[in-house]
Amino acid sequence: MTDKKVALVTGGSRGIGKACAIELAKAGCDVVINYAGNSEAAEKTVEELKALGSNASCYKFDVSNQEEVNEGISKIIEQYGRIDILLNNAGITRDDLFIRMDAEKWNAVINTNLNSAFYVSKPVVKLMMKQRSGAIINTSSVVGLYGNPGQANYSAAKAGLIGFTKSLAKELGSRGIRVNAVCPGFIETDMTKNLPNLDDYLKAISLRRLGKAEDIAKAVKFLALDTDYITGQALEVDGGMII
């Protein structure tokens, strides 16, 4: 049990998720990260969070598997007694032109990027309703707003997260629970390091650079901790790529 605010970050062992976990730990939260495969990376992240004074831990479960999610979150609640912040961040890409995209690529992205938000949010929302407080942030993307060639699956999942965000915000606001989304543009991560035609993308970004994971983390921390009157919003953090 803890008196601090507890934040659960899915996909929190690397990239944007890790940066968000660090930012929340710096703000005084006890941070729990979920991960799917790389135990070494997850444990290393936990050590970094502990060095910041966070009573951090990591739990391995597949966010696209409802039974694993329920079991994992039950253990988290047993350990901490509460969850105040949920960042639905886990995500993958399986890019291909639509005409060549098979059902495996479609379903893998929809299950991990969209269905997981339903699976994870369900038990967390039940707890937050009892607490009569909480903040949920969903990591969407600018491609969920504007689309992108070769990413019909990813765009559909990220657009779905925005609709999910707005619907939950309307349902849960009276219970003291806020729900928002962040929509990153092109961010320096493992997903974008091999991006083709990078110069073309940079020309379209007003700030003429890719974003950093820390840019998203600051937006997440703002929505989670620094405001209590913003809900149902999809905040674009894209360096002015879409204006």
Side-chain angles (χ1 to χ4, degrees):
M1 301 295 179
T2 178
D3 293 328
K4 291 183 177 181
K5 286 194 173 183
V6 176
L8 169 58
V9 180
T10 68
S13 65
R14 61 190 179 89
I16 289 173
K18 178 178 178 178
C20 292
I22 289 172
E23 191 72 20
L24 292 169
K26 287 179 178 178
C29 295
D30 285 342
V31 181
V32 184
I33 62 169
N34 149 265
Y35 69 101
N38 193 332
S39 297
E40 184 178 350
E43 293 290 351
K44 183 178 179 182
T45 298
V46 167
E47 291 305 312
E48 291 182 47
L49 298 173
K50 287 182 175 179
L52 295 169
S54 175
N55 179 21
S57 60
C58 58
Y59 282 82
K60 181 179 180 179
F61 54 86
D62 179 358
V63 292
S64 67
N65 183 306
Q66 190 167 24
E67 290 184 5
E68 286 192 29
V69 167
N70 289 341
E71 182 179 349
I73 290 180
S74 292
K75 291 178 180 177
I76 293 167
I77 294 172
E78 183 178 350
Q79 179 180 352
Y80 289 91
R82 60 191 295 170
I83 297 175
D84 301 281
I85 299 162
L86 168 62
L87 175 59
N88 284 311
N89 173 75
I92 61 171
T93 55
R94 296 289 186 272
D95 296 350
D96 210 342
L97 291 176
F98 180 73
I99 197 67
R100 294 200 298 258
M101 185 175 293
D102 58 25
E104 188 281 326
K105 288 180 178 178
W106 176 269
N107 290 328
V109 170
I110 296 297
N111 287 335
T112 300
N113 296 18
L114 178 58
N115 292 347
S116 65
F118 170 77
Y119 297 145
V120 176
S121 297
K122 195 71 177 290
V124 173
V125 163
K126 288 180 180 178
L127 178 62
M128 287 181 172
M129 289 176 73
K130 292 179 182 177
Q131 297 171 176
R132 297 198 68 82
S133 67
I136 298 172
I137 300 103
N138 299 310
T139 303
S140 181
S141 170
V142 291
V143 305
L145 293 165
Y146 304 105
N148 201 36
Q151 289 192 311
N153 50 1
Y154 190 78
S155 299
K158 294 302 187 179
L161 280 176
I162 294 172
F164 178 71
T165 295
K166 292 180 179 292
S167 295
L168 276 193
K170 289 184 176 182
E171 289 187 26
L172 301 176
S174 63
R175 305 298 184 98
I177 303 168
R178 296 180 301 103
V179 189
N180 291 288
V182 289
C183 300
F186 288 104
I187 308 298
E188 292 178 4
T189 66
D190 290 343
M191 283 189 183
T192 58
K193 66 182 179 181
N194 296 318
L195 197 67
N197 305 318
L198 179 58
D199 288 343
D200 292 336
Y201 288 112
L202 290 175
K203 290 176 184 176
I205 298 171
S206 296
L207 296 181
R208 294 296 190 270
R209 66 173 178 87
L210 297 182
K212 298 183 183 299
E214 290 77 13
D215 295 321
I216 308 304
K218 290 174 183 176
V220 167
K221 185 247 185 182
F222 168 73
L223 291 172
L225 295 169
D226 296 339
T227 179
D228 58 8
Y229 201 60
I230 295 176
T231 194
Q233 302 304 305
L235 177 61
E236 296 175 44
V237 187
D238 63 1
M241 184 175 74
I242 307 295
I243 297 178

